[in-house]
Amino acid sequence: MAVRLRVVGVMCLVALVGGCGGSSDSAGSGGSPGVHGSAAARSPQVVVTFAPESGAPSTPAALKRTAELIRDRAEAAGLGETEVTVEGGQITVTGPVARQKSLESLGEPAELGFRPVLSQAAAAGGEDECRAAADASPSEPITACGEYQGTRYTYELEPVAVPGTDVADAEAAFDKNSGTGWFVKLEFTSAGAQKFTDVTGRLATQTSPNNQFAIVLDGTVLSAPQVNTAITGGKAEISGTFTKREAQELAAHLSTGALPVRLTTASVSRILPN
């Protein structure tokens, strides 16, 4: 999916590359389920069980908080009739079969970072060159990949200049006037807005590709816009060929932030109604 980033009120960014997916859904949390409707009695259900990644630190409190964030993601994404339980060191999410992919993506880390670009090139190799990007420290430079109009690109990126924790809010919206369809509105904290102003002011003095910064979500480059001037105001938009659901799910991931426990999908099964 092509994704672009716009800054509200400033026509100075041209997104060069993007590729995006995302999802989330609604749930309850903690040791007991949070139920939205009696879904299991009405339609086929899918049950997705998440377990902590091998070697990932996990405590009962951290798992409970992770389940709470999964619930928040789900509600922000507009998915009802979903329940979440925490039991036996795992998190189980149950919801409509039609939203299976959305339910499976609830366990994604959702670690966002804005990184200045050192170099950009069409990717010649396989996935190995970008495999470590999702696990890299924000303070480390990384190699990350993104896709635009069928072409995969590789980026050498600086450490994170603006972390996802500096995003105060993210919301899906529809642009009726321009005809661009669904997009995601970002609003930074005051600290994030200042960092965004500082980094865009620095990049604006450079030549391509060093005047670009990459928006990286879970190790994948969503967009790598050029910067022509310092961007103030603390607001931006990520736009592209989003459906309503995709925009809602991406906004849900960004607004809730990274999960305290890194998860892997342990099992997926279906339940047919009686």
Side-chain angles (χ1 to χ4, degrees), residues 52 62 83 88 144 222 250:
E83 43 181 86
L222 299 185
L250 177 58

Side-chain angles (χ1 to χ4, degrees), residues 64-258:
K64 181 178 179 180
R65 177 56 183 157
T66 300
E68 290 172 351
L69 289 176
I70 287 175
R71 177 200 62 212
D72 292 342
R73 287 182 178 183
E75 292 176 351
L79 178 65
E81 301 184 347
T82 303
E83 43 181 86
V84 171
T85 60
V86 181
E87 185 176 357
Q90 296 182 323
I91 297 173
T92 299
V93 180
T94 304
V97 167
R99 295 296 298 271
Q100 178 173 333
K101 289 185 178 180
S102 297
L103 293 168
E104 291 179 14
S105 74
L106 284 173
E108 294 175 353
E111 293 181 354
L112 179 73
F114 295 80
R115 291 175 176 264
V117 175
L118 294 170
S119 67
Q120 168 194 326
E127 294 289 339
D128 288 346
E129 58 191 334
C130 297
R131 195 176 301 278
D135 298 320
S137 167
S139 62
E140 297 175 350
I142 64 170
T143 300
C145 295
E147 187 172 318
Y148 178 56
Q149 293 184 344
T151 300
R152 188 163 166 270
Y153 291 85
T154 300
Y155 299 87
E156 300 295 332
L157 304 174
E158 291 185 16
V160 171
V162 185
T165 51
D166 283 332
V167 175
D169 191 30
E171 180 184 358
F174 185 77
D175 191 339
K176 298 179 181 178
N177 297 324
S178 69
T180 56
W182 287 92
F183 63 95
V184 176
K185 297 191 294 185
L186 296 180
E187 184 172 349
F188 295 99
T189 63
S190 57
Q194 185 59 57
K195 293 175 187 176
F196 198 61
T197 298
D198 292 344
V199 68
T200 54
R202 172 170 68 88
L203 297 182
T205 65
Q206 308 296 315
T207 57
S208 182
N210 302 119
N211 66 343
Q212 297 170 230
F213 67 86
I215 306 165
V216 184
L217 179 66
D218 294 341
T220 297
V221 176
L222 299 185
S223 183
Q226 290 182 340
V227 180
N228 297 325
T229 186
I231 300 165
T232 61
K235 294 183 179 181
E237 298 173 358
I238 302 175
S239 64
T241 55
F242 289 120
T243 64
K244 178 180 179 180
R245 179 180 297 181
E246 289 167 342
Q248 287 179 326
E249 291 174 348
L250 177 58
H253 277 62
L254 299 184
S255 61
T256 55

